[in-house]
Amino acid sequence: MNEAHINSLLRDIPTDVDYTELPEDLDPEDIPPERIKGVVDLLTHEDDYIVFQAARLLTSWGIEEGFDTLRKLLVENELQGMIQHRIYGYDETYKHVLYAFISYWANRSDIGKGEQARKAICNPISIIIKASNMQSFQIAGLFRLVSKKDFVEYIPLLKEHLQIIIKNPEDNYWRIHDVIELFLKVDPDFVAQVLKEHKKELSNFGF
C-alpha cells in the first residue's frame, strides 16, 4: 500500500461532507465499508505511528478491531510521544486517545451497544486519568460524560486527580479550573473541602 493511499485512508473527508474537517468525526454513513477495511488492514503495518493512527481512527468510528488495538497499545505503554502539543511541546497523545474512546462509546451507543462499550472503555480511561496526574495533557473531554451521562465510575479517580494537581497550581491552573467546574456540578462539598485543605478560594481558579 503506497503512501498516498495510506494518507487517503487516514485523512480524507468526503467531498459532500461539510460538518467536519476531522476524519475521526465522520458519521458512520459517510464512511464506506471499503475504507474501513483499508484502515483495518493498516493495523498490521510495520510503521508504529501508522498503526496508532489507524487504531485511533477506527476506535473513533466505533470499530472493535481499532478499539482492541488501541487499548492494547495503551495497556502495554506503547503510545508515548505519538502526538506533541503544537505550541508547548509536551506529550498529549493520551488526550487524543481519550477522545477516541469517548467517540467509540458514543458510536456504539448509537447502535444499541452503549453499555458494553461503557464497560470496555472504563479500564483504559482509568489508565489515562492516572497518567494525567503527573503529565500536562487535558482530560476535560471526559467531564461531560460524568456530569451529563452519569459516568460516576470515574469520580473517585477524578477526586484523586484534583487533590494531586492542586498541589502545583502554577503549572495546572486551567486543568484545576476544569475539574473544579465539574465537581461544582456533581459534588460541591468536595470542592469546598479540597480548597480549604490547600488554603485556596474559588477565585484563585477563575470562578
Side-chain angles (χ1 to χ4, degrees), residues 75-102:
V75 169
E76 295 180 357
N77 198 29
E78 297 290 337
L79 294 177
Q80 299 298 320
M82 291 291 186
I83 303 176
Q84 305 291 328
H85 191 282
R86 57 196 174 101
I87 297 174
Y88 298 110
Y90 62 79
D91 186 359
E92 63 171 5
T93 308
Y94 281 7
K95 169 187 170 182
H96 296 276
V97 172
L98 174 64
Y99 279 118
F101 287 138
I102 293 170

Side-chain angles (χ1 to χ4, degrees), residues 6 21 49 63 85 117 162-163 186 191:
I6 291 172
E21 296 180 353
Y49 184 61
I63 307 300
H85 191 282
L162 177 58
Q163 289 168 320
V186 301
V191 174

Side-chain angles (χ1 to χ4, degrees), residues 10 29 32 56 69 97 103 130 138 140 143 164 167 172 187 202:
L10 294 174
E29 60 267 24
R56 183 167 70 94
T69 298
V97 172
S103 294
K130 291 174 183 176
Q138 296 278 349
F143 297 165
I164 291 171
K167 294 175 182 176
N172 293 303
D187 192 345
L202 284 173

